[in-house]
Amino acid sequence: MRAKSISLVLLAVLAGGCAGNQSGQPQAGDTRFVAGDGKMQVFAAAEREPAPAVQGPTLDGGTASLAAHKGKVVVLNFWASWCGPCRAEAPVLKEVAAKTKGSGVEFLGIDFKDRQADALAFERTEKTGYPSIFDQPGKVALAFQGTVPPAAIPSTLIIDKQGRIAARALGAVKYTDLMDTVTKVRDE
């Protein structure tokens, strides 16, 4: 029972990501939202941890996994349709994905704590060009708990060719930061 209680508490924390008032800013005393500046933090190769297994159903009815992209750099982006910063960074992710596709870089979205209909509407509007795993319960996000706080949304991770976490950004990413870091990790 204790494990179930802990899981429920963690899921409640996930549900609170990007929480706050209508402006997207957390209210006084609201600790559910983990703000980030979107800057990429690159980990030295010797300090990189292996990424956990990531797999699941995609929003379009298929399946996706991190293992399917073995030997490539993978950009994982945790998002939800109800998250303002996620909507704001979507064009940046789309552009970098388009410019790096075919050069050994793949993008994979992780849509969590979201309604599938809302997430599908977001995908139709943004036309990201890459699949997103529909992770409504937040299991994928929890697997990255030591690297990404469960309430940090949006978050972006760059997985190197060896399947290790090479970089992360908490908050909406900036074009130059993402493109430079993706290129650096790809060219290692």
Side-chain angles (χ1 to χ4, degrees):
M1 282 310 271
R2 181 168 166 77
K4 184 176 181 181
S5 296
I6 291 171
S7 294
L8 291 174
V9 168
L10 288 173
L11 288 176
V13 169
L14 275 173
C18 226
N21 58 23
Q22 291 298 71
S23 70
Q25 297 299 313
Q27 296 176 12
D30 185 355
T31 60
R32 297 175 297 171
F33 176 73
V34 178
D37 60 9
K39 295 220 182 294
M40 296 300 304
Q41 177 185 5
V42 180
F43 303 110
E47 297 171 8
R48 294 179 185 170
E49 298 288 329
V54 172
Q55 62 183 16
T58 59
L59 286 168
D60 64 7
T63 58
S65 70
L66 191 55
H69 303 296
K70 188 174 183 170
K72 294 185 177 184
V73 171
V74 180
V75 177
L76 290 178
N77 177 257
F78 294 86
W79 66 276
S81 65
W82 45 262
C83 170
C86 300
R87 290 190 299 272
E89 77 172 354
V92 168
L93 292 160
K94 177 181 177 177
E95 187 173 348
V96 174
K99 286 186 175 182
T100 59
K101 190 166 186 72
S103 69
V105 178
E106 297 290 336
F107 276 62
L108 181 60
I110 309 293
D111 173 48
F112 73 103
K113 302 311 289 178
D114 209 351
R115 289 185 29 208
Q116 191 165 13
D118 294 340
L120 286 167
F122 178 92
E123 286 280 302
R124 278 192 302 275
T125 302
E126 296 301 330
K127 297 177 178 59
T128 61
Y130 55 86
S132 282
I133 291 175
F134 181 61
D135 183 37
Q136 202 287 328
K139 290 180 181 179
V140 174
L142 284 174
F144 285 95
Q145 188 173 348
T147 304
V148 176
I153 179 171
S155 293
T156 303
L157 296 174
I158 300 176
I159 312 302
D160 68 16
K161 296 173 190 172
Q162 292 78 38
R164 303 171 302 173
I165 301 168
R168 76 166 176 204
L170 305 178
V173 294
K174 315 286 186 293
Y175 176 84
T176 303
D177 290 342
L178 182 60
M179 183 61 121
D180 289 351
T181 307
V182 166
T183 303
K184 178 181 177 179
V185 173
R186 181 199 64 202
D187 293 345
E188 290 179 334

